[in-house]
């Protein structure tokens, strides 16, 4: 016995059973204090009245067995303030949730205490979810037979809340999901229907409403009427689930759910009435339990008990006595209730009747039964010889083996309960559970059943059989072989029974998820070639393409008409100034074939209307598996695949065979000296499996998921799109705003179609398909594509807006620029004249930007701050430009008058300058002093600069005169320049000859450039020769003649310079030349460069007389030089 510490001692007090019985036999006054009584004195209690009994069963009232007298009596210490059935004028408050079922109910389930009824009916106790309790719905009038019948008459029925009997497993989805559905559809709530009581007429009817919220504590829904105007301060109505029917809910399933709850409540109330009726029967009708039986039961519990636990034992004995008494009363009631007269007497209580199992009639059975031969001695001898296992020892062993199988007979090789696993479950969870179940069962059979069977045979028959037999032939002809063969057959049959039982159980388990079609189901009528939303989308796309083709044809006709007008000369265009910007006219509307607007043609396999309804409506299916529809690269697949689901379902059958193959019979291990082959117990063939049934079951259950997959496969083109490439190709087509709008609208439509394609969780009979992931993947991809297009549109709009801003700023600066010159004034006038056309063109472009921003805003795209600032900055430019343009005309007139006056003054000044220049040019004809050559050259340079400056002024002033429409002033500056040109050439050449000749004679000879020298000398000679014929004045003519002679004298030196400056001349060539002129090479070509000059060669040596020979030496040197380079 367990030890329990005593409350008053450190050591537990242990009392033996005899002592306890002795204590119980004492009277209450004789018992010592602190010793609780275990049970009451039965004989003494039987003499007491129910009011004097010391055992108060319950404070609940009981009904006397007489149905005609429904008065209430109390028992024990129960208060005597209970009333009879309430009358029609008695106001009964609806039962609250705090009342426990049956705590204050009479056997007729409608009697309350007066105090409780008055308290609940008082105005201060009124409580509801809207602070105003609507009046109860009026019940229909009952017939006279139904009045006063419990469970039928409303005044005597239904005090239990109907919601307590609601089966939450029939709820299609969690309560909060109903609220989410309304929000996902963009409505004010989830559409539904509930009861509405008209305050004026008092009639109750079903009305449409919106479900707005859910109270998890009260399990109620907040509704708002659709067609009833909402009053100020009205917070809606809170209703129970069984009083609410959602529009998308199956009404028939909802009615079955309510009907089940009503039936369960009626059954519970009937059972409560029956229990209270039986409990109220007098104790005198039954015999109390024998005290010897009580002592026997105590002895079976324990030999002795701790004293601290005596109160627990006393309570347990009291409960046992009550249960015994109630059982006897129920037996008496069942016997009496079989009498029809008693049934009619208790009809007002509406008590439940026990259903009896039908007895099998044997009168109609026909057939024969084989009986053994009447020769009993012969039969007995035959039995003894053939049924040798009827031997007591063998029979006991067989009985033990068969009895041991009872431990495994009720087990299965599969789990069809799936306890502890929330349904539907993951495929891996199902496979692991089934695999673990069959593995544990097979291990238990192998390690416990087979091994223990062998051990039982060894222990029981070791003296009867020789397990060390070594002769195989003798063993095969012995009874041992027959016995062990029979044992193996028994074990094989038992294992076969277990396997077949598991197959049947698993098949029944799968049959729960069978697709059940209505009796009047017609597959042809239920078939759709195309999903309705896909058909509507296809029609919309075809209409879009048709409109696009019409626009294209209209554009082609317009272009052809324009071409004809040009040929006939009927259309004339006003030619504007080249700098005026003209609006860009598109030759054709950019109608791009939207890659998202036209889907690729796919093979349509069709859909079932029934499956489409299941995809879009909540149903009450409780599937087995849950699989996810996901995006894998550019395709839509299931995770796990449907093939894996089917394989997992069928693999359970295969596990029955694979896991039981290793379970062996007995015999090979019992006879170690015999080489016996192990006996395989598995005796079930795979042909016995319900292959066709399971295959057809999986085909029907895969139809729904396959059609859900087909619904989303139509969006695979979205997954195949490379966003960067798509945007790049789209941008290359120069799309218009209409193209952007069409593309974005198409993406928006696709996104809505994806969300409305199916429910997030589609429950079929066996498989629940979760569409969260595929919807999320497709929606995210569509949003990314739309985002890329929106960014492209925003970028183009920003570039256009930036160009508008830049053009506006340039225009603004141009018409506001300060005017310093007449040219600037004229340019300002031109710019001001162009401004209206420019503003019109820019506003056309800016309107396109505005339309783009409006399109982006319509698709909830937020532009960047820089785009926003630039847009509003550009929006204000026309007003600023217009303000400046209004002032430009006044400034133009003012500046024009000022510049005309300034021009007149400038022309007069220029006339004086030209006259002075003419005087200075005339002086040039009298220059002739050779010692002032440098000064003459400086003066002609200065005069040339002044003449050029006057020419520039003349052109500028003439152009300004043209700007102001004034006649050009003649200055004859060309004649002045022509008369000055001979003197300019003379003094320029004279200066060059004087300086160059001196430079060429004095600089090192090796630095002379023969080509440059020859070119200058030739040009000077020609010019001086021309001047000697052109000049008429004596002084300049003498200077020209003199220097012409000097140039002519220098020209014979040119061939010599070319010959001596050839790069191929070597030292040997210089020696040869030196020998010609009769000197040495060092004297001819001194090593000092400053001494080796042209003057040195011409002054000290007569080289010109040997020019021909020197040229020959130079030619040889040139040839040798070319050969060396090769």
């Amino acid at each position: 016995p367990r030890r329990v510490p005593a409350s008053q001692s450190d050591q537990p007090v242990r009392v033996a059973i005899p002592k306890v019985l002795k204590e119980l036999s004492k009277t209450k006054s004789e018992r010592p204090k602190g010793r609780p009584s275990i049970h009451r004195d039965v004989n003494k209690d039987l003499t007491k009245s129910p009011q004097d009994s010391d055992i108060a069963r319950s404070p609940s009232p009981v009904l006397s067995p007489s149905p005609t007298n429904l008065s209430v009596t109390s028992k024990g210490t129960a208060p005597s303030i209970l009333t009879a059935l309430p009358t029609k004028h008695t106001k009964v408050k609806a039962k609250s949730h705090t009342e426990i079922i049956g705590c204050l109910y009479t056997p007729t389930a409608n009697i309350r205490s007066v105090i409780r009824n008055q308290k609940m009916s008082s105005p201060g106790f009124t409580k509801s979810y809207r602070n105003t309790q609507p009046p109860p719905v009026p019940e229909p009038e009952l017939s006279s037979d139904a009045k006063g019948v419990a469970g039928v008459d409303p005044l005597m029925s239904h005090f239990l809340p109907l919601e307590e009997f609601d089966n939450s497993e029939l709820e299609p989805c969690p309560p909060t999901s109903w609220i989410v559905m309304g929000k996902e559809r963009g409505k004010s709530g989830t559409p539904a229907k509930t009861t509405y009581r008209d305050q004026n007429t008092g009639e109750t009817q079903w009305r449409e409403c919106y479900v707005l919220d859910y109270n998890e504590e009260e399990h109620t829904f907040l509704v708002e009427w659709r067609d009833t105007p909402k009053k100020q301060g009205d917070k809606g109505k809170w209703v129970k689930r069984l009083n609410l029917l959602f529009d998308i809910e199956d009404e028939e399933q909802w009615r079955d759910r309510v009907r089940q709850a009503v039936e369960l409540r009626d059954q519970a109330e009937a059972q409560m009435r029956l229990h209270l009726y039986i409990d109220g029967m007098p104790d005198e009708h039954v015999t109390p339990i024998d005290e010897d039986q009580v002592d026997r039961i105590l002895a079976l519990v324990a030999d002795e008990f701790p004293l601290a636990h005596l109160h627990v034992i006393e309570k347990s004995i009291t409960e046992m006595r009550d249960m015994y008494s109630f059982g006897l009363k129920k037996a008496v009631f069942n016997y009496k209730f079989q009498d029809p007269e008693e049934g009619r007497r208790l009809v007002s209580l509406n008590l439940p009747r026990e259903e009896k199992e039908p007895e099998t009639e044997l009168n109609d059975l026909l057939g024969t039964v084989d009986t053994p031969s009447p020769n009993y001695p012969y039969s007995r001898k035959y039995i003894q010889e053939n049924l040798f296992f009827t031997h007591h020892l063998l029979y006991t062993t067989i009985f033990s083996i068969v009895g041991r199988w009872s431990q495994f007979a009720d087990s299965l090789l599969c789990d069809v309960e799936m306890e502890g696993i929330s349904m539907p479950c993951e495929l891996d969870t199902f496979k692991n559970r089934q695999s673990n179940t069959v593995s544990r069962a097979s291990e238990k059979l192998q390690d416990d059943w087979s091994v223990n069977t062998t051990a039982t045979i060894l222990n029981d028959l070791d003296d009867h059989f020789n397990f060390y037999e070594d002769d195989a032939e003798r063993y095969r002809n012995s009874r041992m072989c027959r016995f062990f063969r029979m044992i193996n057959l028994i074990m094989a049959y038992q294992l076969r029974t277990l396997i077949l039982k598991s197959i049947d159980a698993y098949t029944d388990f799968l049959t729960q998820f069978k697709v059940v079609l209505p009796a009047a189901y017609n597959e042809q009528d239920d078939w759709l070639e195309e999903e309705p939303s896909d058909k509507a989308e296809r029609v919309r796309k075809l209409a879009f393409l048709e409109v696009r083709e019409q626009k294209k044809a209209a554009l082609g006709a317009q272009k052809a008409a324009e071409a004809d007008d040009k040929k006939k000369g009927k259309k004339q265009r006003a030619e504007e100034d080249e700098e005026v910007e003209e609006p860009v006219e598109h030759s054709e509307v950019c109608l791009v074939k939207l890659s998202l607007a036209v889907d690729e043609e796919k093979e349509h396999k069709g859909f079932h209307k029934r499956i489409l309804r299941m995809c879009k409506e909540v149903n009450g299916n409780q599937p087995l598996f849950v699989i996810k529809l996901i995006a894998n690269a550019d395709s839509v697949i299931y995770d796990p695949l449907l093939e894996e689901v089917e394989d997992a379902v069928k693999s359970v059958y295969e596990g029955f065979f694979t896991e039981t193959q290793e379970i062996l019979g007995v015999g090979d291990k019992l006879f170690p000296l015999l080489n016996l082959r192990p006996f395989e117990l598995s005796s079930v063939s795979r042909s016995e499996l319900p292959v066709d049934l399971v295959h057809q079951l999986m085909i029907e259950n895969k139809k729904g998921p396959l059609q859900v997959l087909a619904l989303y496969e139509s969006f695979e083109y979205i997954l195949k799109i490379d966003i960067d490439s798509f945007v790049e190709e789209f941008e290359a087509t120069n799309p218009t705003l209409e193209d952007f709008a069409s593309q974005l609208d198409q993406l928006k439509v696709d996104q809505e179609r994806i969300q409305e394609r199916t429910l997030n969780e589609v429950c079929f009979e066996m498989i629940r398909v979760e569409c969260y992931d595929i919807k999320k993947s497709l929606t995210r991809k569509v949003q990314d594509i739309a985002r890329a297009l929106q960014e492209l549109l925003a970028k183009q709009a920003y570039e256009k807006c930036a160009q508008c801003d830049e053009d506006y700023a340039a225009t603004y600066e141009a018409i506001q620029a300060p005017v310093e010159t007449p040219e600037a004034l004229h340019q300002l006038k031109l710019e001001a004249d162009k401004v209206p056309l420019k503003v019109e063109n820019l506003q056309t472009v800016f309107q396109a930007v505005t339309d783009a921003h409006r399109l982006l805003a319509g698709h909830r795209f937020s532009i960047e701050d820089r785009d926003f600032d630039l847009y509003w900055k550009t929006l204000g430019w026309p007003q600023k430009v217009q303000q400046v343009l209004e002032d430009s005309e006044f400034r133009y007139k003012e500046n024009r008058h000022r510049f005309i006056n300034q021009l007149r003054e400038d022309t007069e000044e220029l006339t004086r300058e030209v006259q002075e220049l003419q005087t200075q040019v005339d002086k040039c004809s009298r220059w002739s002093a050779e010692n002032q050559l440098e000064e003459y050259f400086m003066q002609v340079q200065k005069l040339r600069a002044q003449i050029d400056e006057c020419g520039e002024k003349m052109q500028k002033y003439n152009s300004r005169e043209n700007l102001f429409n004034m006649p050009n002033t003649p200055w004859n500056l060309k004649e002045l320049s022509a008369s000055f040109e001979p003197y300019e050439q003379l003094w320029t050449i004279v200066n060059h000859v004087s300086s160059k000749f001196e430079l060429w004679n004095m600089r090192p000879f090796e630095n002379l450039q023969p080509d440059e020298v020859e070119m200058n000398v030739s040009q000077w000679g020609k010019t001086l020769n021309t001047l000697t014929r052109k000049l008429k004045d004596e002084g300049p003519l003498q200077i020209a003649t003199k220097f012409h002679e000097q140039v002519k004298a220098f020209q014979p030196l040119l061939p010599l310079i070319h010959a001596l400056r050839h790069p191929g001349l070597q030292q040997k060539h210089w020696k040869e030349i030196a020998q010609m002129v009769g000197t040495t090479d060092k004297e001819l070509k001194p090593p000092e460069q400053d001494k080796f000059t042209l003057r040195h060669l011409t002054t000290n040596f007569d080289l010109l007389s040997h020019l021909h020979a020197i040229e020959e030496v130079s030619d040889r040197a040139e040839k040798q030089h070319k050969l060396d380079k090769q």
Side-chain angles (χ1 to χ4, degrees), residues 574-715:
E575 296 183 358
E576 302 290 340
D577 191 88
E578 295 181 355
E579 298 180 358
V580 177
E581 294 185 8
E582 297 181 357
V584 178
E585 297 181 359
H586 296 280
S587 59
E588 61 179 24
V589 180
C590 184
L591 297 174
V592 186
K593 180 179 179 180
L594 303 179
S595 59
L596 299 182
V598 181
D599 299 337
E600 297 179 359
E601 292 296 331
K602 289 188 176 182
E603 180 183 358
H604 296 284
K605 300 180 180 179
F607 300 92
H608 288 92
K609 297 179 183 178
R610 176 184 65 87
I611 294 177
L612 292 179
R613 286 195 298 270
M614 297 176 71
C615 292
K616 298 185 178 181
E617 297 178 1
V618 179
N619 53 62
N621 291 334
Q622 297 292 332
L624 174 61
F625 300 111
V626 55
I627 60 177
K628 295 180 180 180
L629 200 59
I630 63 172
N632 181 24
D634 56 354
S635 60
V636 180
I637 64 171
Y638 276 115
D639 181 26
L641 300 176
L642 289 176
E643 291 76 8
E644 296 179 6
V645 175
E646 184 175 3
D647 293 343
V649 171
K650 295 181 179 179
S651 64
V652 177
Y653 290 108
E654 185 65 23
F656 297 159
F657 297 96
T658 57
E659 294 293 338
T660 57
Q661 286 178 352
E662 299 180 358
I663 302 176
L664 303 177
V666 299
D668 58 319
K669 297 180 180 179
L670 293 174
F671 298 93
L673 301 181
L674 297 177
N675 188 15
L676 299 179
R677 187 177 62 181
F679 185 84
E680 297 182 358
L681 298 180
S682 180
S683 58
V684 179
S685 173
R686 284 178 170 80
S687 60
E688 299 181 57
L689 293 176
V691 178
D692 297 337
L693 175 63
V694 176
H695 181 67
Q696 186 63 28
L697 178 68
M698 293 307 302
I699 289 177
E700 294 297 328
N701 275 284
K702 287 195 301 182
K703 286 182 179 179
L706 286 175
Q707 293 195 12
V708 173
L709 178 64
L711 287 174
Y712 285 96
E713 281 182 342
S714 59
F715 296 103

Side-chain angles (χ1 to χ4, degrees), residues 357 371 604 868 883 943 945 963:
E357 296 182 359
T371 58
H604 296 284
F868 183 82
Q883 292 176 356
L943 286 175
L963 292 177

